[in-house]
Amino acid sequence: MTILGHHIEEEVQAKLVLENGTIFTGEAFGATGESTGEVVFNTSLTGYQEILTDPSYAGQIVTMTYPLIGNYGINLEDLESVKPQVAGFIVKEYFDYHSNFRSIGSLGDWLSRHRILGIQGIDTRMLTRMIRTVGAMRGIISANDLDDARLLQKVRQSPEMKGLDLTKQVTTSEPYSWDEVDRTPFALAPLAQHRSGGGKWKVVVFDYGVKHNILRRLSSYGCVLTVVPSSYSAEQVLELNPDGIFLSNGPGDPAAVRYAIANIMKLVGRKPLFGICLGHQILALALGAKTFKLKFGHRGANHPVKNLLNGSVEITSQNHGFAVDPETFDPLAIEVTHVNLNDGTNEGFRHRSLPIFSVQYHPEASPGPHDSDYLFRQFVEMMERDRAPAVGPQSP
Amino acid sequence: MPKRTDITSILIIGSGPIVIGQACEFDYSGTQACRVLREEGYRIILVNSNPATIMTDPDLADATYVEPITPHFVEKIIEKERPDVILPTMGGQTALNTAVALAESGVLEKYGVELIGAKLEAIKKAEDRELFQRAMDRIGLATARGGFVRSRDEAVKIAAAIGFPIIIRPSFTLGGTGGGIAYNFEEFEEKVEHGLSSSPIHEVLIEESVIGWKEYELEVMRDLKDNVVIICSIENFDPMGVHTGDSITVAPAQTLSDKEYQHMRDAARKVIREIGVETGGSNIQFAVNPDNGRMIVIEMNPRVSRSSALASKATGFPIAKMAAKLAVGYTLDEIPNDITKQTPASFEPTIDYCVVKIPRWDFEKFKGVDDTLGVQMKSVGEVMAIGRTFKESLQKALRSLEQGYGGLGADGKDLVDVRSLSADQLPEWKKRVVDRLRMPKPLNVLYLRYALQLGLTIEDLFEITKVDRWFLHNLKQIVDFEEELRTYSLS
């Protein structure tokens, strides 16, 4: 098979095999090798660099529904963690020639440097339709072994996503502090208030696989961050005496992260809590609700979410395979605040009496729209209210 | 919010005859509006002088007036029909200008008729370049440097401050009529005079040239609850300096990273809110400097446009139909998505293909007309193609032009077979092709192929044309593949 403009001698054939036995043949780009994971699709038109570096994709092979990928190369700024986190990357047409003033190199070279296998020339539309019909499936991509039967055997032996605690793979090993903000010309307001005024809010961030833009946004709103491992105990956190606690996004099955749920149960009512994505699910589980696995998940930058508190619609960035079952909330304690307009699933809640709120989607965007950035301000306001009665009126 | 029940009849203004710069796209939008608003139970009154339109078919409106679209005649229709509201955003510039004239002369007030979709103030803020520039200043968005003048002397003063080349844009004209680019003083004087006389208010904008910058458009929808969604992003193959109607355009944008795209999206949301278009579709144009990413706002159309038709077909989101519903009070989350039927229209379409639009010119029918493309639209129509790659869509679009092209050349219509040229013929052809490419002309994309065959590099061609390197590289892939195909035989 020949892809336009690529010389035949450069091509390395590769295969994608799904657990239901479907076989796709394409070409390797990035690293060669072999990799297994849950095959999921993302509908964002832009933002492949952010998607690839989002730790929530650990253990997953991501396919982009948009067919032309690599167009604007790779830059130094659009990183959501220090390296690509996906188990593999599937595209229709990889573009090695990149054009953008910020680009420092091609996507393929970067993936190759980080030993991530990409496969192009795949009918990603057929693949996406299959995932939508059958549900998320395990898959294997290989440029080493092209034997269909062997690949199918390997994929069927690979672990299932349900019941998997993947936060252990991506969380930080040691606590660290964070004070960086977005320094690109595209940064959102407010910017680094604490650089001039000094950080006002001490926030502990549970790192279940946190995206850097969450840290940048919290920082921009004046939070001084201590990022701690997912296994950090409630006692250790309280010893730091933060103004608020943030529960990050992350990969895998929330119900499998039992130690985290137990930890958060101890923190409920002690400090203001804000969760995003996996953090939202863990918070819900700690408050007694249940989670379940979605058929094929929500991954993209165009999901409409209705804010039930003010009736407005937010276009949101999403990346989750599990969801909270709102029927399992204690209605006396919990109020649903956001709902997905596509399928009615839960997108957010708040506690009726305690300073706790949480969303399933990604207000930090990156990639995606900035419609929901107000939630970071809301977190700061919640800490402000929580602090006020204890210390009296605030002094500058 | 449910639909408005305080109104019962709506006057829709069409766009009149098809002219260069305003074609059947407004029949498309107006027909959608008639159909959907009639379905909602409103009495539809329509005025359009063009009989070759679907909207003037008897069953599309309750009362159809085939009359001149002038304030005088439309006033008579208002007097007779007494509509509650006018929807002026479906019939292009003609409808908008007529509505503005009726509002300003007091006719609307006299008969108690309300403008829906866009209010007078919003239309003026978007259309009057001086007000628009001030509005952009207020929300902190950059625009091109320059100013508005009403005389030659004022124009010369500004020209001295910004230097050539300079863009001249008359206020309130159709498809940029009477505008132009001046590279020297003589051209400048001539074009300013022409511009001043084409503008109904005798005013032109003298502006810093952003020729060669990347050009983008966003199609934006807003409802009365202030929900704003972006339906489609469009990137022009031809850089700034060529009217969008004369540019090859591509959806979605191809060479913006997410950070840049979201920056543009945020800007578009600010623009539609500041200008105050309450409901419906608007089109906002941006220019981006390819060297440093600096983004400026070029202009906004506070109505459906040629690009909305393209964006509707490119995404499956019927902008005019939705805009009509929003104008009578529905909100985006109350209207079902036309494709899924089950999910609401308050979403941003995502697509898994690439759309290419190529304009169609007919200069052979206008002997003696300068076919150099500029800020005044010269094409007479357009075609669109959908494919899984830019290359596929481009090839299909070229075939669709019905000018005999089989794609990007190699179809028996080539001007020259570059492989058959002798060594001493090559420099002459190189010069000929490069000279052609220096000026934006119809279907220069075919000359880009010759240039690549003649050995010019992507860097050379970027310097000459400022067409983004990504597009040029796609063309190179097609040219390389053509060469590869030649190495095979049919036997």
Side-chain angles (χ1 to χ4, degrees):
Chain A
M1 191 168 83
T2 303
I3 296 296
L4 294 179
H6 288 252
H7 298 296
I8 290 164
E9 59 270 22
E10 288 175 1
E11 286 172 19
V12 178
Q13 217 188 37
K15 277 188 176 173
L16 160 68
V17 176
L18 302 178
E19 65 177 286
N20 71 354
T22 313
I23 295 149
F24 296 83
T25 306
E27 283 166 47
F29 74 99
T32 55
E34 191 170 288
S35 184
T36 57
E38 185 185 40
V39 181
V40 296
F41 63 88
N42 186 304
T43 56
S44 301
L45 297 173
T46 51
Y48 53 79
Q49 186 176 343
E50 292 91 327
I51 290 164
L52 290 165
T53 54
D54 177 351
S56 293
Y57 285 109
Q60 290 175 328
I61 298 173
V62 177
T63 182
M64 299 299 288
T65 56
Y66 188 66
L68 312 176
I69 300 294
N71 303 6
Y72 55 84
I74 285 292
N75 62 59
L76 292 168
E77 289 144 354
D78 300 350
L79 295 164
E80 287 306 319
S81 67
V82 294
K83 61 175 189 350
Q85 305 280 357
V86 300
F89 198 39
I90 303 168
V91 302
K92 161 70 178 144
E93 184 182 55
Y94 162 63
F95 225 84
D96 196 54
Y97 191 95
H98 46 98
S99 172
N100 189 280
F101 74 101
R102 291 195 299 154
S103 175
I104 54 151
S106 77
L107 169 62
D109 286 347
W110 180 73
L111 288 178
S112 163
R113 213 162 42 244
H114 291 284
R115 301 179 183 284
I116 302 287
L117 177 58
I119 182 169
Q120 70 146 336
I122 298 297
D123 185 347
T124 49
R125 181 180 290 175
M126 173 185 167
L127 175 61
T128 302
R129 294 183 84 117
M130 187 174 284
I131 296 169
R132 282 183 61 97
T133 313
V134 179
M137 276 178 280
R138 288 168 294 168
I140 185 166
I141 43 178
S142 182
N144 293 349
D145 185 354
L146 299 177
D147 182 84
D148 298 341
R150 264 204 309 271
L151 288 173
L152 187 58
Q153 194 186 0
K154 283 185 218 171
V155 73
R156 286 184 176 159
Q157 283 164 359
S158 67
E160 295 223 35
M161 187 57 79
K162 203 161 182 308
L164 222 51
D165 170 15
L166 290 170
T167 63
K168 280 186 289 197
Q169 285 180 23
V170 290
T171 187
T172 177
S173 52
E174 295 296 327
Y176 62 92
S177 49
W178 178 284
D179 64 357
E180 277 174 43
V181 296
D182 185 354
R183 294 253 170 261
T184 70
F186 318 111
L188 274 184
L191 288 173
Q193 294 164 326
H194 68 287
R195 296 244 161 193
S196 46
K200 282 170 81 176
W201 309 100
K202 267 168 70 182
V203 172
V204 167
V205 175
F206 270 110
D207 177 15
Y208 303 128
V210 71
K211 281 170 70 185
H212 283 179
N213 214 44
I214 292 179
L215 303 178
R216 292 185 205 112
R217 290 315 294 152
L218 286 169
S219 219
S220 293
Y221 277 94
C223 300
V224 179
L225 308 177
T226 306
V227 185
V228 302
S230 59
S231 59
Y232 221 55
S233 72
E235 293 73 23
Q236 283 172 297
V237 170
L238 290 171
E239 231 163 80
L240 295 169
N241 193 28
D243 296 301
I245 298 166
F246 175 80
L247 316 184
S248 86
N249 64 297
D253 184 346
V257 201
R258 291 197 194 86
Y259 53 91
I261 301 163
N263 252 334
I264 304 307
M265 284 171 81
K266 291 184 206 161
L267 293 169
V268 167
R270 304 290 299 270
K271 293 286 176 188
L273 293 168
F274 173 28
I276 287 178
C277 199
L278 186 77
H280 165 80
Q281 297 159 358
I282 288 173
L283 194 49
L285 288 163
L287 291 165
K290 298 265 179 289
T291 55
F292 64 98
K293 193 170 190 323
L294 293 163
K295 189 174 176 191
F296 50 84
H298 299 171
R299 293 172 190 88
N302 64 330
H303 284 259
V305 165
K306 186 150 188 165
N307 180 334
L308 300 174
L309 302 175
N310 64 13
S312 69
V313 178
E314 299 161 26
I315 304 300
T316 67
S317 183
Q318 304 215 354
N319 172 17
H320 58 111
F322 292 82
V324 174
D325 178 0
E327 299 296 315
T328 59
F329 280 131
D330 169 6
L332 295 175
I334 305 293
E335 178 183 10
V336 171
T337 55
H338 296 80
V339 62
N340 189 303
L341 284 173
N342 284 341
D343 62 5
T345 54
N346 179 258
E347 294 289 354
F349 68 82
R350 68 177 179 188
H351 199 282
R352 291 187 194 274
S353 53
L354 299 171
I356 295 173
F357 76 98
S358 181
V359 287
Q360 179 62 70
Y361 56 94
H362 290 268
E364 81 283 7
S366 207
H370 300 144
D371 298 15
S372 313
D373 192 68
Y374 70 92
L375 289 163
F376 293 106
R377 189 184 64 237
Q378 200 169 295
F379 181 44
V380 167
E381 287 165 359
M382 185 168 81
M383 290 189 283
E384 208 156 17
R385 278 197 305 274
D386 187 67
R387 194 198 263 177
V391 296
Q394 257 191 278
S395 51
Chain B
M1 264 168 270
K3 72 175 179 199
R4 287 178 64 170
T5 50
D6 60 326
I7 56 174
T8 55
S9 58
I10 300 172
L11 172 63
I12 294 175
I13 308 179
S15 67
I18 286 177
V19 295
I20 293 175
Q22 184 164 290
C24 52
E25 62 267 20
F26 299 112
D27 185 33
Y28 169 64
S29 53
T31 301
Q32 282 190 25
C34 289
R35 198 171 276 152
V36 69
L37 293 177
R38 208 159 174 230
E39 273 168 21
E40 291 295 335
Y42 296 108
R43 174 173 159 78
I44 303 302
I45 303 137
L46 171 71
V47 54
N48 193 350
S49 55
N50 184 346
T53 49
I54 296 169
M55 60 158 69
T56 51
D57 272 1
D59 54 343
L60 274 149
D62 296 283
T64 303
Y65 289 83
V66 180
E67 297 289 346
I69 305 171
T70 62
H72 173 74
F73 281 94
V74 177
E75 180 180 353
K76 285 181 182 254
I77 296 167
I78 292 172
E79 189 184 357
K80 177 159 180 265
E81 292 285 345
R82 300 298 176 112
D84 296 314
V85 297
I86 296 183
L87 180 61
T89 52
M90 298 291 158
Q93 205 59 42
T94 304
L96 217 49
N97 287 354
T98 307
V100 167
L102 290 167
E104 290 190 326
S105 65
V107 169
L108 300 189
E109 202 184 351
K110 180 175 165 194
Y111 295 100
V113 189
E114 179 191 342
L115 284 179
I116 57 170
K119 303 279 184 233
L120 178 65
E121 197 201 352
I123 298 171
K124 291 185 74 172
K125 247 161 119 179
E127 298 267 311
D128 181 313
R129 289 173 182 281
E130 195 163 359
L131 292 177
F132 185 73
Q133 210 152 333
R134 270 195 240 131
M136 294 305 99
D137 288 347
R138 273 198 298 278
I139 52 175
L141 292 175
T143 47
R145 287 173 301 140
F148 295 88
V149 299
R150 285 169 180 253
S151 73
R152 183 195 157 279
D153 289 353
E154 286 176 280
V156 171
K157 232 179 260 169
I158 291 187
I162 59 181
F164 293 102
I166 288 174
I167 308 263
I168 298 115
R169 295 176 194 267
S171 299
F172 289 99
T173 65
L174 248 182
T177 310
I181 306 160
Y183 293 89
N184 55 51
F185 193 71
E186 285 89 66
E187 279 179 12
F188 179 71
E189 280 199 301
E190 184 194 319
K191 288 186 173 164
V192 167
E193 289 298 336
H194 184 48
L196 287 171
S197 59
S198 323
S199 165
I201 59 164
H202 204 69
E203 179 188 84
V204 295
L205 172 63
I206 306 294
E207 210 171 50
E208 135 190 47
S209 166
V210 286
I211 291 173
W213 288 28
K214 289 148 68 117
E215 185 168 358
Y216 294 90
E217 290 177 81
L218 295 186
E219 288 297 318
V220 190
M221 298 287 287
R222 185 184 186 206
D223 69 19
L224 284 169
K225 262 202 303 201
D226 198 27
N227 293 311
V228 178
V229 293
I230 312 296
I231 305 307
C232 188
S233 64
I234 300 173
E235 178 164 346
N236 289 12
F237 176 95
D238 297 281
M240 285 294 297
V242 177
H243 192 280
T244 307
D246 279 337
S247 295
I248 296 179
T249 63
V250 183
Q254 298 297 327
T255 61
L256 291 178
S257 66
D258 187 67
K259 293 284 178 292
E260 292 146 38
Y261 172 69
Q262 299 304 338
H263 184 55
M264 194 175 280
R265 182 182 180 278
D266 290 346
R269 287 159 57 91
K270 276 192 200 168
V271 172
I272 196 168
R273 286 177 169 142
E274 172 61 30
I275 296 301
V277 173
E278 284 182 333
T279 67
S282 286
N283 155 276
I284 305 171
Q285 293 170 24
F286 297 92
V288 173
N289 185 330
D291 300 327
N292 58 22
R294 183 184 162 220
M295 181 186 83
I296 64 166
V297 184
I298 301 297
E299 65 171 18
M300 172 193 195
N301 286 310
R303 54 170 171 84
V304 300
S305 62
R306 187 179 320 103
S307 300
S308 340
L310 177 76
S312 298
K313 292 291 153 75
T315 62
F317 189 106
I319 292 174
K321 178 176 166 182
M322 297 302 178
K325 284 201 170 199
L326 299 182
V328 294
Y330 284 108
T331 54
L332 284 161
D333 55 322
E334 291 171 344
I335 309 173
N337 173 339
D338 236 39
I339 291 186
T340 63
K341 310 284 182 202
Q342 284 157 16
T343 58
S346 54
F347 78 117
E348 299 203 342
T350 187
I351 55 182
D352 70 349
Y353 46 84
C354 173
V355 173
V356 172
K357 173 214 90 174
I358 304 184
R360 161 81 189 251
W361 297 269
D362 272 335
F363 283 104
E364 53 278 19
K365 290 180 185 148
F366 303 94
K367 292 280 180 254
V369 170
D370 178 10
D371 66 351
T372 306
L373 305 177
V375 296
Q376 179 173 341
M377 182 172 155
K378 294 181 176 175
S379 69
V380 296
E382 62 192 22
V383 297
M384 161 184 149
I386 301 180
R388 286 277 280 167
T389 66
F390 168 73
K391 295 177 279 283
E392 181 186 346
S393 307
L394 178 77
Q395 297 284 46
K396 283 168 70 177
L398 283 164
R399 286 185 178 203
S400 304
L401 285 171
E402 299 195 1
Q403 290 176 310
Y405 299 111
L408 190 70
D411 51 12
K413 296 203 69 170
D414 290 352
L415 190 69
V416 55
D417 180 3
V418 171
R419 283 170 316 277
S420 70
L421 294 175
S422 64
D424 51 325
Q425 284 174 303
L426 283 174
E428 183 209 318
W429 271 96
K430 239 183 208 176
K431 183 176 181 307
R432 198 167 149 183
V433 168
V434 167
D435 284 350
R436 159 86 187 207
L437 289 173
R438 281 194 197 286
M439 293 308 278
K441 298 259 188 187
L443 291 178
N444 261 5
V445 65
L446 299 173
Y447 285 80
L448 286 168
R449 168 172 166 266
Y450 300 134
L452 288 163
Q453 289 177 323
L454 285 161
L456 277 92
T457 64
I458 284 174
E459 245 1 86
D460 295 336
L461 292 176
F462 174 70
E463 283 313 314
I464 296 166
T465 63
K466 296 291 176 185
V467 170
D468 193 278
R469 296 171 181 94
W470 188 85
F471 292 120
L472 294 171
H473 199 81
N474 268 282
L475 300 184
K476 184 165 189 311
Q477 289 184 332
I478 297 174
V479 171
D480 287 351
F481 190 58
E482 180 189 332
E483 288 309 309
E484 190 184 323
L485 276 180
R486 285 183 198 280
T487 65
Y488 300 112
S489 68
L490 285 175
S491 54

